[in-house]
Amino acid sequence: MEPMETSKVENVRLLDRFDPRHPVTGTLYLTATHLIFIDPDGKKETWILHQHIASVEKLQMTAFGSPLRVKCKTYMNVTFILPRERECQDIMVTLQKLSRPESLEDLYCFHYVSQGGYSQTDGWQLFSLEKEFFRMGIPNQFWDFSHLNKNYELCDTYANLLVVPASATTPMLMGSSRFRSRGRLPALSYLHRNGASICRCSQPLAGFSARCLEDEQLLRAILQTNPKSARMCIVDTRPKINAMANRAKGKGYENENYYTDVQFHFIGIENIHVMRNGLSKLMDACDSSCATVSSYLSALDKSDWLKHIKAILDTSVFIANKVEDEAANVVVHCSDGWDRTAQTCSIASLLLDPYFRTIHGFQALIEKEWLSFGHKFTDRCGFLDADAKETSPVFTQFIDCVWQLTQLYPMAFQFNERFLVELHDHVYSCQFGTFVGNCEKDRVDLMVSQRTYSLWAFMQSRIDDYLNHLFQPNSNHSPNVMRPDTSSQNLRLWVGLYLRFEDGLLPRESIADWISATKGRAQSLNDHTRLLEKRIADLRFLVLHRDDLKSSTCHSEGHDVDSGLSENEVGSDKQSQKYRSESGEPTARSSGDLPEDSLTSTAPRVSDTESGFEELCHPSSRASFGSVGVAGSTLRDLKRPSVDLSLDQIALELNSVAIDWKNPRDVTHCGCAAPFRYLNCKYNCWKCGEVYCGRCIDRHIALPGHYSGKSVPVCRPCYKTLKSSPSYIDLAAVAKQRGLHSPLCASPAPHLRRSCASLGSEEDELQQGDHLQVGDVGQDRLHSTCRARSHEVAFAKDEDGHG
């Protein structure tokens, strides 16, 4: 790339479309990948990826400078006013070059280096076309795999593996391929559980009278794969007048006289040019400052965008009903079979199979219907500086249709709105190589799986952000086969996609984010409560059986040093025992002298009731110092408690968990100045409770105050604090290294300072080295502190409505 003449411009004004009289003044930076605007106060950052830029336009000169309007494929439109016209011209020319490279090799994905927790090899093996058809029960007596396209010689825009009728011969497949546009012969797309199927192809090269016996035989073989139906259906997704016009070009549609036992249906979904104009009109309606509601609604209606969405949904519902209700095979095609065919086949599969409504299933659906069957992402999304007439929002319409279904069935999809928006944005970003190229052959030639990162690996690393917390599979709200009502009144403009950058039009956060934050806080409090109960049980055990443990340790080990007490502590303890003996006070007996009922009884004692421990603790916690010891053994077998507590350890555990989380509704910007918009995730740090963006809370660590030992999100300052603490040990990492399951691989108590060798064995609970057992006063203080903390956590949970 040529060096940029202008990389930084100061005193640039960013106009607010709704308040142009009060612009924001800052500095504009132009890097190799982004256009960045930062105001001097650090209150606003605007990042625009070059590949997201759809157009750059220099407007008429004003008294304040030269305006530059940038329109993005993510539907962000911004206007900058640069002080000098030459700088504006330089920025415009550079952005035009960077946003529309001439070669695929210049795309962002071939230069991007991930800083996340995934590698370049992750994600590429998540989907296998062969395994997906295995899931459908293929091969079987009716369908089988064909390797004729192994080297992409039969059809260079199809995958190298096809599923065709088992009775189809090689001459039949090759003849049909020559008779179909672009060689895209009929191949299986989806096999339903009742034996009915959906196949897809391109239009035949029929003209007015041409025919192909091999193509007729192949369609006859597809009909015979379903013994339950005597007729099959061919769905042409084009308006009939368009199909008839293609006949004059030597293409067209199937002649009913040559294809027997076939029903023909024309359903009018417009071509890519009409769809492109419709999106342009929709953006004009959204960008214009309409004086009245009626003028805005009129502009929205003239775009026909929702009309196009309805046409795609209606066609998909028609196909799904044919398959489910009539058990009929359906063959779908449009002109070349990679735009409208991909839309309708994928949505029909989504309606028929609940697997495709999960996150991984939806990704498999995209891989199969859009990537394997050769949707032209490079041309349709405008990745390169090529013919603009080839661009069209085909994939955007598919995502829009899926969103419409999520609104009609909010509990039937595992993913949420953010998942769809990020998927849409990253298709256009070219940050990942998943969608680069027009077909599978292009991606193989470019070696994208070896040279780029996979989008699926990135989304897998953030899977929690995409979960729909209302998802209820196998319920009345999530039917196996969807039958949506696609009436016009049920379809809405997707404000969260097309108008998400208009502050004030959307809620401050989505309901799903509020549910997720509440759920996360409840999980943290429950986990912390379990640890507090365990700590109370451990400390109470030490208070009640301190003398017994020392006596047992002395008898079993033969000396006092291994008991974990210093010489001064031992001497002091012996003096106290002697004093109690001389004064007539009863001395504690060893574990061998204890009555049997004292070793096995788990009933709460009087001291438990008085202290509130009996009401607070879980029964399993009380049992930990009754018939079962701290390490899972009886008191007779226990040499010493498995806990190894210190004041620093207790303090670290109590201070490592946030009880009160900051309300995300009160936060509009992250500490890094990134603004929070409708679909921007707001993350609470599980240690301090503050709110951050995803860029600032990219660390995960196990908190000492959690019983489970699971890694949770924390901010960078808290991460450094925990890592630098001398009392902290990450048991989750140690357990992972040893191949064990965290938490508490060998002991029910997490984050204890133990040797790594003792993690896998319950017999070796005593590590050699420096141990500190707190004295009577320290035990009482820690006991009181833990009980007070437990009441504080219980009160916080009651406030949240979680018991």
Side-chain angles (χ1 to χ4, degrees), residues 167 316 381:
S167 60
S316 304
C381 299

Side-chain angles (χ1 to χ4, degrees), residues 181-182 184 201-204 236-238 242 246 251-252 271 333-338 340-341:
S181 177
R182 310 284 184 175
R184 298 172 66 87
C201 59
S202 62
Q203 64 181 340
D236 194 327
T237 59
R238 302 169 292 179
N242 293 7
N246 279 336
K251 300 178 182 180
N271 58 32
H333 70 74
C334 51
S335 295
D336 292 320
W338 48 43
R340 290 165 283 194
T341 303

Side-chain angles (χ1 to χ4, degrees), residues 180 186-187 197-202 219 222 232-236 254 263 319 329-333 345:
R180 294 282 171 171
S197 63
I198 299 177
C199 295
R200 54 182 295 179
C201 59
S202 62
L219 264 64
I222 293 175
M232 67 181 295
C233 179
I234 295 181
V235 175
D236 194 327
E254 294 82 0
Q263 295 177 341
I319 296 171
N329 288 355
V330 180
V331 176
V332 185
H333 70 74
C345 287

Side-chain angles (χ1 to χ4, degrees), residues 338-546:
W338 48 43
D339 293 322
R340 290 165 283 194
T341 303
Q343 290 175 331
T344 53
C345 287
S346 53
I347 296 176
S349 301
L350 195 72
L351 298 175
L352 291 168
D353 194 341
Y355 167 70
F356 294 130
R357 300 168 212 157
T358 64
I359 291 179
H360 294 295
F362 191 73
Q363 292 171 347
L365 180 68
I366 293 174
E367 287 274 359
K368 176 171 64 74
E369 297 293 339
W370 293 84
L371 295 173
S372 295
F373 277 102
H375 175 67
K376 301 171 64 177
F377 280 102
T378 297
D379 292 346
R380 296 294 181 258
C381 299
F383 293 161
L384 302 179
D385 186 14
D387 187 3
K389 294 182 179 179
E390 286 293 311
T391 61
S392 186
V394 178
F395 191 78
T396 300
Q397 288 182 319
F398 163 68
I399 296 294
D400 197 330
C401 290
V402 176
W403 179 83
Q404 301 288 345
L405 293 176
T406 63
Q407 302 306 296
L408 297 175
Y409 297 93
M411 300 181 183
F413 293 84
Q414 188 186 22
F415 48 84
N416 56 22
E417 182 181 15
R418 180 179 292 108
F419 175 80
L420 297 175
V421 172
E422 288 214 9
L423 177 61
H424 171 273
D425 289 353
H426 281 298
V427 167
Y428 287 94
S429 71
C430 297
Q431 182 174 343
F432 305 94
T434 305
F435 295 94
V436 172
N438 285 328
C439 58
E440 182 180 282
K441 183 178 182 297
D442 288 352
R443 287 181 283 276
V444 171
D445 294 340
L446 290 169
M447 296 187 295
V448 294
S449 60
Q450 291 85 29
R451 302 172 58 194
T452 67
Y453 290 86
S454 170
L455 174 60
W456 307 138
F458 166 78
M459 303 191 86
Q460 181 65 31
S461 66
R462 304 175 59 184
I463 193 71
D464 291 340
D465 296 344
Y466 309 130
L467 293 177
N468 174 21
H469 297 286
L470 302 178
F471 179 50
Q472 293 184 6
N474 303 320
S475 67
N476 295 332
H477 303 286
S478 180
N480 284 332
V481 177
M482 289 183 174
R483 302 179 185 275
D485 182 3
T486 58
S487 302
S488 299
Q489 60 268 26
N490 289 332
L491 303 182
R492 295 183 290 168
L493 177 67
W494 190 1
V495 179
L497 177 66
Y498 306 114
L499 291 170
R500 58 184 147 139
F501 296 103
E502 303 295 344
D503 297 333
L505 295 180
L506 293 165
R508 283 175 287 185
E509 65 275 327
S510 65
I511 297 177
D513 288 346
W514 182 85
I515 295 175
S516 178
T518 304
K519 183 179 178 181
R521 186 189 180 202
Q523 290 175 347
S524 179
L525 293 178
N526 287 332
D527 208 349
H528 191 46
T529 301
R530 293 183 64 194
L531 180 71
L532 294 178
E533 291 176 355
K534 183 65 179 65
R535 284 291 174 266
I536 293 173
D538 293 338
L539 294 173
R540 188 175 183 277
F541 188 94
L542 292 174
V543 171
L544 295 178
H545 304 289
R546 184 170 184 268

